[in-house]
Amino acid sequence: MSIETNTNITVIDHGEGDEPQVNLSPNRTFASVLEARLERRSVLKGSMGAAALGFLGVGLAGCNSGSSSSGSSPAPGPTNPAPTPAALLGFEAIKPALLTDSNADTITVPPGYSYHVLTPWGEPITGTYPAFTSTNTGQDQAEQIGMHHDGMHFFPIEGQDPYEGSSEDGLLVMNHEYVEPRFMHESHRNQALGSGGVLQAGGVRNTDEVLKEINAHGVSIVRIRKGVNNEWQVQPDRLNRRITGQTPMEIQGPVRGSAFVRTKYSPNGTMTRGTLNNCGHGVTPWNTYMAAEENWAGYFRNGDSTRPREHTRYGVSSGTGRYAWERAASGEDQYIRFDASATGASATEDYRNEPNCFGWMVEIDPFDPTSTPKKRTALGRFAHEGVIFAPAVEGKPVVCYSGDDSTNQFIYKFVSRNNYNKATASGTLLDSGTLYVAKFNDDGTGVWLPLVYGRNGLTEANEFTSQADVLVNTRLAASVVGATPMDRPEWGAVDPNNGDVYFTLTNNGGRTVTDAANPRTQNLHGHIIRWAEADGDHTATTFQWDIFLMAGDAGQSGDPNLAGKDLNGEPLTEASMMSSPDGLWIDYDSRIWIQTDIGESSQNRNSFEPIGNNAMFAANPETGEIRRFLTGPVGQEITGVITTPDQRTMFINVQHPGATTTAAEWESGFSRSRWPDQDQNIPPRSATVVIWKNDGGKVGS
């Protein structure tokens, strides 16, 4: 964090908003495990891939194979016959969008496809008021689509089966990860990229600006309906709802009522306010929405001379909060809570525990506007990128996976204590069970290590006092049991046809090991890992893993450390080269949809220049073929992807267009992007994009 000061204002600069890298664990990193793994595999095959060998003889089932990875009964999936692998990708790959292109500040889709823009930041959801303007108030924002769209799901207005229900009428539910104050307030016009709040004279923040920023966070729930010419529109509806950084929420699971979450607002530790930095998401088998809390730690400060480990291990610092909300001029309790310094004799007299109320998965019922969101603490506390559920099986536990999106952090799995019953299933299934963390072995095997108080070093000897302590300090617990630190675990996806699990590992510039199959000294471009649980059972405690993709360029740099390879060990081409895989979803035919998030400070620069703007790709899990399906405008991230049940309409999000605009450019009235309005009087706005195939076919086919 840096602070820039002039005579009138102070600008808090927190870079691009990622959490500081605070994993000091001595555990072997995934990079070193991968080195040994690939060295062994190169002896057998002599390439990056192992398509012919599968998982060194164990094997992932091919897409649409009709069997699980072990030959057991297939997981529940689509009832219609899926296309053959050869027909899975039926579109013409498009080229990268480079800054030298005249159309770089736009959306580009393949020939035969069309799109339109829906739900941009600031669109009203409770009627026609309040319309988006540069002078919207904090209360206005509470009735408008939030900023910086991220994870998203389409809930058909009727039917709870993901393969059934309306494909023309439903609820679009989306996260809003963070905000860009310089696009929100005239007083922030001279800010640099990623700067936080501007402090006015006296070191305070304008209270209404703070309220506007808080209300631009969270989740939007809007009813949308398909009209003529495939045009979707937001419908006024009683279900339309904003959930923000101020919305009351219940704390559920083992941490509920513990000393870790008792605050002045909730002395009994059962409630908190708001959800922040919602990145990826999840959808439960009982048709509710899960919003992830990712880089939440920077919103808080703790100026105490010593800070507890549940603050330090997650990056709560002694400086100013990311947006300096704790300095709102009104001095109201709802803003002071972002200062976690101890000011009273006990935790119920101040907000020293407020950060402990964040870092969870939040369950929201989109069909009940009166329901209170619930933070499910049994799933662990960390920088949740999202959560992905394995197909639910009647009479078996519920299983879900989640990644901790920070360098050298971990991948987790939760297995419920109680079994799934479709007629009675609810979020209470997520309140008791076992949280596991992954350890990846050199030989392509892996084991799930339980994070259970009293076992594997999670005892008083390591200062753990309860299961609530283990969950509040999930990162530390994972280090103690010997989990494998990973290269920024982001989104996960489960193939609905064979149960294989995929995770994107966005990048890790600190890698130093090399080998013949992976001669990189740094993993600047990231990769995708996949695994198959033992016997095709998602509750198993062992698995087989392999690498599906090494991201990178198509050889333009001439540096083998930066070159990408597919699962067969073949170099990526102009049609498939990518960097920083992030968003991930597998559709009902097993197409793997991959979205990229090259950081704002790296886009179109140096090693990232040939790759161009962030994009979305489709991949065939059996052949390894990858094709670029979409490119986005300047300075943005492509994120969030889902289709209607019939797979003929796709929704994706464009986040933070124009983020690469410098402070001097913005102050002069210039923006590198004016997407989607292309109006000099309107700042760039995050928005949803609706995509369809002109002949009415399935998207991607």
Side-chain angles (χ1 to χ4, degrees):
M1 179 187 75
S2 63
I3 300 179
E4 303 172 6
T5 305
N6 63 27
T7 57
N8 299 310
I9 62 172
T10 302
V11 178
I12 310 301
D13 184 1
H14 288 272
E16 295 178 17
D18 290 336
E19 288 187 354
Q21 307 309 313
V22 289
N23 189 355
L24 305 179
S25 167
N27 298 357
R28 290 186 63 197
T29 65
F30 182 73
S32 65
V33 175
L34 181 60
E35 176 189 27
R37 167 72 168 138
L38 295 182
E39 183 176 4
R40 177 174 182 263
R41 185 169 67 185
S42 66
V43 173
L44 297 176
K45 191 169 187 291
S47 76
M48 267 298 306
L53 295 174
F55 275 38
L56 293 179
V58 176
L60 286 178
C63 78
N64 311 310
S65 63
S67 66
S68 73
S69 303
S70 64
S72 61
S73 299
T79 56
N80 295 326
T84 61
L88 205 59
L89 307 183
F91 62 91
E92 179 183 333
I94 63 174
K95 295 181 178 181
L98 307 176
L99 283 183
T100 53
D101 297 342
S102 60
N103 64 344
D105 192 31
T106 189
I107 294 287
T108 301
V109 293
Y113 284 81
S114 298
Y115 73 90
H116 76 88
V117 174
L118 183 71
T119 60
W121 162 50
E123 179 174 349
I125 66 171
T126 56
T128 58
Y129 174 84
F132 175 78
T133 72
S134 61
T135 59
N136 285 137
T137 66
Q139 185 54 47
D140 290 343
Q141 181 62 79
E143 301 179 65
Q144 298 171 321
I145 294 289
M147 201 177 202
H148 288 357
H149 305 27
D150 211 307
M152 173 176 57
H153 189 72
F154 177 83
F155 291 87
I157 205 65
E158 87 288 337
Q160 294 191 7
D161 190 296
Y163 311 110
E164 298 176 355
S166 175
S167 291
E168 298 188 353
D169 187 4
L171 298 180
L172 193 66
V173 184
M174 73 183 76
N175 293 342
H176 304 289
E177 185 175 10
Y178 68 105
V179 298
E180 191 74 71
R182 62 182 180 155
F183 292 158
M184 302 181 80
H185 319 300
E186 286 298 319
S187 66
H188 290 52
R189 194 168 186 85
N190 65 346
Q191 280 188 265
L193 166 67
S195 297
V198 168
L199 302 181
Q200 307 298 323
V204 299
R205 284 219 53 202
N206 178 288
T207 299
D208 193 65
E209 289 182 353
V210 171
L211 179 61
K212 187 175 181 180
E213 292 167 17
I214 291 175
N215 283 340
H217 282 73
V219 176
S220 292
I221 302 171
V222 292
R223 186 168 182 173
I224 59 173
R225 186 173 292 143
K226 183 179 179 181
V228 296
N229 299 321
N230 292 296
E231 294 283 331
W232 289 71
Q233 294 182 336
V234 173
Q235 305 295 310
D237 194 275
R238 69 176 186 86
L239 297 177
N240 291 0
R241 181 185 182 192
R242 280 301 321 283
I243 293 163
T244 75
Q246 297 280 43
T247 302
M249 304 197 170
E250 296 180 12
I251 298 174
Q252 297 288 356
V255 178
R256 178 181 173 88
S258 72
F260 293 100
V261 289
R262 294 172 189 162
T263 65
K264 185 178 179 181
Y265 174 73
S266 180
N268 63 0
T270 60
M271 297 288 295
T272 189
R273 283 171 290 189
T275 183
L276 297 171
N277 212 263
N278 304 111
C279 192
H281 70 295
V283 180
T284 68
W286 44 95
N287 213 38
T288 58
Y289 185 82
M290 302 288 288
E293 297 181 328
E294 191 194 8
N295 294 319
W296 49 271
Y299 290 75
F300 300 92
R301 71 173 300 274
N302 183 343
D304 294 343
S305 57
T306 59
R307 298 187 298 280
R309 63 188 188 181
E310 52 266 21
H311 289 190
T312 57
R313 185 64 187 261
Y314 294 91
V316 176
S317 71
S318 60
T320 303
R322 181 175 184 180
Y323 300 111
W325 290 343
E326 72 278 3
R327 296 196 186 186
S330 70
E332 294 174 80
D333 177 80
Q334 61 184 329
Y335 308 122
I336 291 175
R337 66 190 173 108
F338 293 100
D339 187 338
S341 306
T343 58
S346 68
T348 58
E349 295 175 334
D350 55 38
Y351 289 99
R352 67 186 72 178
N353 286 334
E354 188 74 4
N356 300 341
C357 300
F358 291 81
W360 309 104
M361 291 301 308
V362 183
E363 184 179 15
I364 299 166
D365 185 348
F367 291 98
D368 182 1
T370 67
S371 62
T372 301
K374 297 173 175 58
K375 299 200 176 188
R376 300 295 184 185
T377 63
L379 303 187
R381 174 177 172 263
F382 43 88
H384 281 277
E385 180 71 16
V387 66
I388 182 69
F389 286 80
V393 179
E394 194 77 15
K396 297 288 187 179
V398 169
V399 179
C400 58
Y401 303 87
S402 192
D404 185 350
D405 181 13
S406 192
T407 299
N408 296 325
Q409 297 300 337
F410 309 104
I411 293 176
Y412 300 87
K413 176 170 80 169
F414 174 80
V415 180
S416 68
R417 176 182 302 165
N418 297 319
N419 292 333
Y420 172 78
N421 177 278
K422 184 175 182 180
T424 61
S426 71
T428 59
L429 283 168
L430 303 179
D431 288 336
S432 59
T434 302
L435 184 66
Y436 296 88
V437 65
K439 180 179 180 180
F440 293 82
N441 297 321
D442 295 354
D443 61 359
T445 65
V447 60
W448 292 105
L449 306 170
L451 300 180
V452 177
Y453 173 64
R455 298 171 57 185
N456 301 324
L458 303 181
T459 64
E460 285 81 358
N462 286 312
E463 301 181 5
F464 289 99
T465 60
S466 65
Q467 185 62 22
D469 195 347
V470 169
L471 294 169
V472 168
N473 291 288
T474 305
R475 282 182 174 174
L476 179 60
S479 295
V480 168
V481 302
T484 305
M486 307 294 283
D487 291 353
R488 284 189 61 194
E490 298 241 20
W491 292 52
V494 176
D495 189 322
N497 289 290
N498 61 24
D500 297 338
V501 187
Y502 293 70
F503 258 78
T504 54
L505 303 172
T506 291
N507 50 52
N508 183 353
R511 179 183 293 190
T512 59
V513 297
T514 62
D515 58 64
N518 181 31
R520 291 179 172 176
T521 55
Q522 293 181 315
N523 186 12
L524 293 181
H525 293 307
H527 57 287
I528 297 177
I529 191 172
R530 63 177 179 177
W531 66 83
E533 299 281 10
D535 299 321
D537 181 0
H538 286 276
T539 68
T541 56
T542 60
F543 58 92
Q544 294 279 336
W545 67 270
D546 213 330
I547 299 296
F548 178 72
L549 165 74
M550 294 300 297
D553 63 33
Q556 293 94 332
S557 64
D559 184 349
N561 291 336
L562 302 174
K565 293 185 179 181
D566 65 19
L567 76 93
N568 300 304
E570 297 298 323
L572 298 186
T573 66
E574 183 184 63
S576 58
M577 64 177 180
M578 70 176 76
S579 178
S580 304
D582 187 342
L584 191 68
W585 180 62
I586 303 177
D587 69 23
Y588 313 136
D589 293 332
S590 293
R591 293 179 197 85
I592 304 173
W593 296 94
I594 305 165
Q595 301 172 313
T596 67
D597 180 18
I598 303 169
E600 296 97 304
S601 61
S602 299
Q603 287 182 43
N604 294 288
R605 295 180 175 92
N606 303 318
S607 301
F608 302 91
E609 184 175 5
I611 293 172
N613 295 353
N614 280 314
M616 183 169 76
F617 300 75
N620 184 321
E622 182 169 300
T623 67
E625 182 185 10
I626 302 168
R627 299 183 189 179
R628 186 181 296 99
F629 177 80
L630 174 149
T631 58
V634 174
Q636 52 72 52
E637 162 192 357
I638 298 293
T639 185
V641 54
I642 191 67
T643 66
T644 51
D646 64 7
Q647 298 179 252
R648 286 167 169 79
T649 301
M650 173 176 279
F651 304 94
I652 63 103
N653 282 326
V654 173
Q655 185 187 110
H656 61 67
T660 51
T661 302
T662 66
E665 289 170 340
W666 184 244
E667 187 173 13
S668 70
F670 172 79
S671 176
R672 293 177 182 266
S673 174
R674 288 285 180 175
W675 190 90
D677 302 280
Q678 301 300 340
D679 185 328
Q680 287 300 111
N681 297 312
I682 300 176
R685 298 197 282 170
S686 299
T688 302
V689 178
V690 185
I691 304 167
W692 65 92
K693 195 174 183 182
N694 295 341
D695 65 7
K698 292 182 179 180
V699 176
S701 64

